[in-house]
Amino acid sequence: MAKLHISTTINGEPEEFLCAPNETMLDVLRNRLGLTGAKEGCGSGDCGACSITLDGTLVCSCLMLAAEAEDKEISTIEGMADGETLHPLQQKFLEEAALQCGICTPGMLVAAKALLDENPDPTETEVRFWLAGNLCRCTGYDKIIRAVMDTAAEMRGATK
Amino acid sequence: MSSNDNKWIGESTIRPDGADKVTGRATFAADSTMPGMIWGKVLRSPHAHAVIKSVDTSKAEAFPGVKAVITSSDIVDFPIDTPFPLGIQDMRWMCRNVMARDKVLFHGHPVAAVAAMTEAIAAEACKLIEIDYEVLPHAIEIDDALADDAPILHDWMEFEGKPSNIAGVLEHTKGDVASGFAEADVIIERKFTTRPVHQGYIEPHACLVSVAADNKTTIWSSSQGQFMVRAMTALLTGLSQSDIRAIPAEIGGGFGGKTIVYLEPLATALSKKSGRPVKMAMTREEVMRASGPTSGSKSVVKIGCKKDGTITAAEGTYWLQAGGLPGAPVRGAVGCALAPYDIPNGHTLGYDVVCNRSKVAAYRAPGAPIGSFGVECVLDELAEELGLDPLDLRLKNAAKEGTEAVHGPVYPVMGYVESLESAKAHDHYNAPLGANQGRGVASGFWFNAGGESSAQVNITEDGNVVVTTGHPDIGGSRAGIANICAELLGIDYKRVSVLIGDTATIGFSNLTGGSRVLFASSMVVTESTGKVIRTLCELAAKIWDIDPDAVDWEDGAARPAGANAGQFEPLTLAELAARANETGGPIGAGAQVNTTGAEGGFGTHICDVEVDPELGIARVIRYTVLQDVGRAVHPAYVEGQMQGGAAQAIGWALNEEYLYDKDGKVDNPGFLDYRMPVASDLPMLDTHIIEIPNPKHPQGVRGVGEVPLVPGLSAVRNAVYNAIGVRFNDLPLSPPRILDGLNVPEAAE
């Protein structure tokens, strides 16, 4: 099968890659580009461990063909911190122990950031429904929801 | 030491592996690659039960891109007539579980594996393997496996002199239940069933294995024990343990399900045969079909009480599905069922029943939730019958220091009564309920565990600390270890790095499981740190030219023990480390201990539900977990264990179950249809930590992770009863079942 040549932007940097027409974005990120922060938990769009954003929209990279990245902007967990400075969500997840094993954490953080980009003042219910596509089996979600709410409050305070 | 004096023990510090985990840097098993790496794939049985008559791999071997094909002949056979225990497992079952030998025992059972240049080629080549099966009738549910005309899975298995699917039996007896029931004023006996559920870790099993030409083997894999991986892989492939270096990748959840191997021996055999590093990863569907869930069960529980609520006798009989090979968690069911209570006459009996589903693996307090479920449901009914508050009934019969448990031990000091009293006094227990809402309570017990652990504590030249232990960190244990080491050394916790060693760099350490990791690893870290402190005092004594016994270690520095010792300025850890070369050399110490003194843990849960009478949906609207943890070394991760266990219990109670089609194939092998709780299903999960220190542990730790799964099933079920007046004795309480119960309440009794 002839490979496709794709030009895209990943975490703000121009990127080119070759992929098979049926290859998923997740497989290209992990197996061709060395970006293993996005995880495969199910391969069917049910667990959210592979969450990335495509032109700012939250997607499951396991359900996206890599060829669809052409001329788009992709953001992954690897691009979330600003150099040495963690994103406030990353920092809050650490401070509030919002992770245990950590396998869902990259997807959870990418999804939570997409929420706060869209809605800086979500209610608990809004956070719970936004993150309903990101499975976590360790925490019971309590500390994750609190960390997202507390980050949102802190970020609103910082921008006032 | 009193908790008030502690600087780090009891602080929710930031975990040593935290920044890696929030930035995507942390390396889980599927994240590793090697030069020249190829991919392995497993061919799995399309039948639930069949004889393998022949296997022909020639077409697969000839397929372009294929580098190796293996079958059961490449895995070491452990004959049925010779038991070969390894921990709680037996290699006779492990060798048949990782690769079917003469029979396939469940749909999804591995029958061959291929390594090829790509995963796609390996999968294609699997389809070219020709296997001639003689399909047999299958038995999945317990009643099917126990029926008179049941298909017998193993012709070598007999029970009471007859061919049987009962692989074993375990019972505990105390007193005389017949006379105990004769003394009772009220006796309630009920039948219960629970469905098989999966551990549900988000990370599928994965490994990368490199076998070099000289057999030197490196394994990166996701497991709850690198030493278990080394031992089982060596035994199943014929390699020496000393040739295998098993490196624990970060583990993306296990809950007991990663205490055995699935892929590692296959990848090792494929790597040896192909001469290339081989990577294998299960799909979610493979995880659901072929990795260990826990048992489905049926049980009969009978409890008798005096009018004042005093239990006179209790009896529980349990049948647990083992899957295709023996090993259901019967011990947890029969041992934990009655453990919270002081019962004069008790009897529990459990059967290990093989059936045509994947072999069970441990799942958080293995067997205990099954054992506890019927007991806590019957107690709820007894409390109502006697007009007692359900917590008062439990308090009346609560086990305490000195109680002889039905399963044998005499309890030391422990905090079960405190969990009940705290529950009774809790805001939650006394809050008003609305329409269609109900409240339930239940209690639970888990043994906890000691066992082998090793640690090494080294002081760096710049006066900081590296601690290496041998247990995969599944829920933040590195953070707890950093707290303990920093506390003992009197330094900032950030100066302590905690690493998980591989099998070549740290001494033998048993599995991460049984709620043992912080209990056991803090014992060896405490001992190692104590040795380091002694060395530091000796170095200071040498510098000061005084007796080492005249030096104290306090607040991160060596100090003269008193005025008589002499007048010297304190020497800090950094100062002593800088002068180590001139005063004696490297500073470090290790400890390797078969730890003992783990004492059981107890907890009580309060659950509120609201039931939608039209849709039959039960939603948990408030939940509180109260538990004696001994000592919360890192409270946030202790709370995390309590919350995570409760969430799994809620899933087990309300939604989760394996469904099988008529051919014995799992019908819901994905997260869409196997419905684990998602964020929008749950409320905040409140925790109430009780600390009655374990007197046999230097920091008072008991273990925390398993107990919080145990009471949850019945707390939810009792809450549903309180909401709608229907006692369901079969899980899960899914909307169709609740609607059925609402429509025909008497049918559910």
Side-chain angles (χ1 to χ4, degrees), chain A residues 30 36-37 39-42 46-47 77-78 86 90 94-95 97 99-103 105 109 124 128-129 131-132 135 137-143 145-146, chain B residues 15 18 21-22 28 30-31 198-200 202 204 251-253 255 284 363 636-637 639-641 643-644 647-648 656 671 676-680 682-685:
Chain A
R30 291 181 53 82
T36 56
K39 309 298 181 191
E40 179 168 325
C42 66
D46 297 313
C47 79
I77 186 64
E78 287 89 349
L86 295 178
Q90 294 172 309
L94 291 181
E95 290 168 4
L99 62 150
Q100 283 178 33
C101 80
I103 193 85
T105 308
L109 285 165
E124 182 191 329
R128 286 188 179 277
F129 276 84
L131 295 179
L135 293 180
R137 190 63 156 173
C138 294
T139 64
Y141 304 102
D142 182 297
K143 292 184 191 306
I145 305 300
R146 288 180 201 275
Chain B
R15 60 197 287 160
K21 286 206 166 138
V22 297
F28 293 83
D31 299 338
H198 197 271
Q199 293 84 348
I202 308 299
I251 170 171
F255 313 106
R284 176 56 48 185
Y363 178 27
Y637 287 118
E639 291 167 3
Q641 289 296 316
Q643 293 165 335
Q648 286 183 312
E656 295 177 36
F671 284 141
M676 309 196 310
V678 304
S680 54
L682 297 175
M684 292 299 184
L685 301 166

Side-chain angles (χ1 to χ4, degrees), chain B residues 4-27:
Chain B
N4 297 337
D5 299 332
N6 283 331
K7 189 157 184 199
W8 300 117
I9 292 174
E11 284 298 307
S12 291
T13 53
I14 293 192
R15 60 197 287 160
D17 55 318
D20 275 355
K21 286 206 166 138
V22 297
T23 55
R25 282 180 178 84
T27 307

Side-chain angles (χ1 to χ4, degrees), chain B residues 188-197 294-303 315-320 329 332-341 348 364-382 394 440-445 603 605 607 623 648-656 707 709-721 726-734 737 748:
Chain B
I188 292 181
E189 181 180 53
R190 295 284 177 260
K191 292 179 181 173
F192 300 90
T193 62
T194 66
R195 293 296 297 164
V197 294
T294 194
S295 309
S297 74
K298 68 171 205 172
S299 58
V300 181
V301 172
K302 179 178 173 184
I303 302 177
E315 193 166 43
T317 308
Y318 299 87
W319 293 262
L320 277 74
V334 300
C336 298
L338 301 172
Y341 305 105
T348 55
R364 201 171 199 151
I370 291 169
S372 165
F373 178 61
V375 170
E376 297 296 313
C377 291
V378 169
L379 286 177
D380 199 63
E381 203 171 338
L382 278 168
R394 287 171 174 83
V441 297
S443 297
F445 166 87
H605 292 195
C607 173
Y623 205 99
Q648 286 183 312
I650 292 167
W652 195 342
L654 292 180
N655 294 307
E656 295 177 36
V707 174
L709 179 56
V710 182
L713 282 57
S714 29
V716 173
R717 177 271 192 191
N718 292 342
V720 169
Y721 167 70
V726 182
R727 290 201 182 273
F728 293 96
N729 295 338
D730 305 295
L731 295 182
L733 306 183
S734 55
R737 180 163 279 146

